[in-house]
Amino acid sequence: MSAVRRWLDRIHPQFAKGGPYEKYYALYEMVDTFLYTPPDVTRTAPHVRDAIDLKRVMSYVVLATIPCVLLGMWNVGYQANSAITELGLAGAEGWRGAILGLLGVGYDPSSLWDNILHGLAFFLPIYVVTLLAGGFWEVLFAGIRNHEVNEGFLVTSMLFALTLPPSIPLWMVALGISFGVVLAKEVFGGTGKNFVNPALAGRAFLFFAYPAQLSGDGVWTAVDGFSGATALSLGAEGGVASIVGAGISWGDAFFGAIQGSLGSTSTLACLLGAAFLIYTRIASYRIILGTFIGMVVTSLVFNAIGSDTNPMFATPWYWHFVLGGFAFGMVFMATDPVSATHTDTGRWIFGFLIGFMTVIIRVVNPAYPEGIMLAILFANLIAPLIDYGVVKANVRRRLRRQSARGQDASASANAPAPSPGGDVAVARVAGKADPEPGE
């Protein structure tokens, strides 16, 4: 790596101010700080010694998604290989099938490596296209503004890719991430200034612009001609009985061996990532617990109300917890440090609102069984209002406390002095001066 360091130092003047490639300095800085620690330090007080910077925060979030990536690739391959076996096909079709054939990969759903490599054939192209398309806009805006390329895009690209169905066309991937990066972040000033989660904004854009490719029964298994409903869709049609009747147990849903997006089906993987993010203090446990509590409370309310026509009313909270992308959204999307609330009380309210709205959308809205995406986006919009209300409430409480203390002090100052007693009273009655303390 020392040779790379010397090479970067040698070409630095070419990209520095006044150099022939000055306009591309953002690209040089991106490569330099990705490989090495930034040399920038504070010159004036105050000085803070801390190992956590923006790069490390974003790196930790990417590391936390690794269980979702691995289990997601296995599940995509498992679902595809199971469908190939069920349909009696020889193997995967298209260029992915050709590559898997050259590598000697089989289609045995009981084989760990066959499933992972088959899933990798779908995850890797989607993620690479996400990086290339979104990275292009990041570098372009950084060059125009003469700013450095921020590492926040690494998180956005990973989360966006994990929320997509495996069969999505690659040009849609590029379009969705472009919408999220440009219209949900860069037009507002870039990283730290977006008011909604860019990955969710891109996902929502694709859902409403191309619903046939983002929903339905034919997009979740990467095999042409195979149709399979997600567990959440089954629940919307016939409740938990319909899910169990389709051969899906609660354990299957918790582990993630069900139809769904690339990396958001495994509640187990999401909880592993949550434990890491909470331990490293990257994610707010208040938002995560608030979302969970909001979901549980709202589910119990619907269970108590009941319905003869809507089976989702009877869905218990522990099924809501493992269905759809609830756990993924709760851990990785809701805890976005930019678009979420920043006060401690506000985080509890923010999380509770997300859990509440998720169940409301799932149960009451018959056309859209999933609710976590829209719930988080709505909460993002009112997060500043929540913080504003919390701060104003704190100010009013402190003013009342200060006013009460002032009234107590004023009352003490205006209280009459106590009557003298003992030797002082006797001396005053006799017309003598007050006795000295030592007398």
Side-chain angles (χ1 to χ4, degrees), residues 422-435:
D423 295 338
V424 176
V426 173
R428 288 181 178 177
V429 171
K432 299 179 180 179
D434 291 347

Side-chain angles (χ1 to χ4, degrees), residues 43-354:
R43 302 296 180 183
T44 58
H47 300 282
V48 177
R49 291 185 176 273
D50 197 337
I52 295 294
D53 58 5
L54 183 59
K55 176 179 290 187
R56 184 158 298 185
V57 168
M58 298 305 174
S59 300
Y60 279 174
V61 178
V62 174
L63 288 175
T65 62
I66 289 179
C68 295
V69 173
L70 295 178
L71 280 173
M73 289 191 301
W74 173 85
N75 184 52
V76 169
Y78 172 74
Q79 299 296 336
N81 290 337
S82 298
I84 289 173
T85 302
E86 180 181 339
L87 296 176
L89 302 177
E93 299 179 352
W95 60 270
R96 290 186 176 90
I99 293 176
L100 292 175
L102 290 175
L103 296 177
V105 178
Y107 300 96
D108 182 6
S110 63
S111 170
L112 175 65
W113 291 111
D114 285 353
N115 294 335
I116 290 179
L117 293 177
H118 197 165
L120 179 64
F122 287 90
F123 171 76
L124 187 60
I126 290 176
Y127 185 58
V128 169
V129 170
T130 302
L131 283 177
L132 293 178
F136 166 78
W137 295 111
E138 289 279 349
V139 173
L140 177 63
F141 278 91
I144 294 174
R145 296 172 176 152
N146 197 25
H147 290 172
E148 62 183 37
V149 178
N150 199 279
E151 294 83 3
F153 174 66
L154 293 177
V155 175
T156 300
S157 61
M158 180 62 75
L159 297 183
F160 176 77
L162 292 176
T163 62
L164 299 176
S167 62
I168 185 172
L170 295 181
W171 65 268
M172 283 189 190
V173 177
L175 183 62
I177 193 62
S178 298
F179 180 93
V181 171
V182 176
L183 295 181
K185 184 173 74 170
E186 294 298 341
V187 296
F188 298 102
T191 300
K193 299 179 180 179
N194 51 286
F195 63 93
V196 296
N197 189 304
L200 269 184
R203 177 65 168 78
F205 166 75
L206 288 180
F207 176 80
F208 290 109
Y210 306 99
Q213 286 77 20
L214 271 293
S215 60
D217 296 342
V219 302
W220 307 111
T221 300
V223 175
D224 292 337
F226 183 83
S227 178
T230 63
L232 197 55
S233 298
L234 293 171
E237 295 175 359
V240 175
S242 179
I243 299 175
V244 176
I248 300 174
S249 66
W250 186 90
D252 293 333
F254 178 77
F255 184 75
I258 56 176
Q259 308 271 358
S261 300
L262 279 169
S264 61
T265 59
S266 176
T267 303
L268 173 62
C270 294
L271 292 181
L272 293 176
F276 176 77
L277 292 177
I278 293 174
Y279 175 77
T280 55
R281 298 185 178 181
I282 301 300
S284 170
Y285 73 89
R286 294 179 177 87
I287 294 178
I288 296 176
L289 287 180
T291 304
F292 179 77
I293 293 172
M295 179 272 294
V296 172
V297 171
T298 312
S299 300
L300 293 176
V301 170
F302 276 117
N303 294 161
I305 296 174
S307 174
D308 295 331
T309 59
N310 190 341
M312 286 296 288
F313 271 74
T315 303
W317 65 265
Y318 51 87
W319 270 102
H320 276 292
F321 183 52
V322 299
L323 293 179
F326 179 83
F328 188 84
M330 176 183 69
V331 173
F332 295 106
M333 297 295 192
T335 56
D336 176 28
V338 177
S339 57
T341 47
H342 298 90
T343 58
D344 287 346
T345 303
R347 286 167 175 158
W348 286 108
I349 299 173
F350 179 81
F352 188 91
L353 178 64
I354 292 174

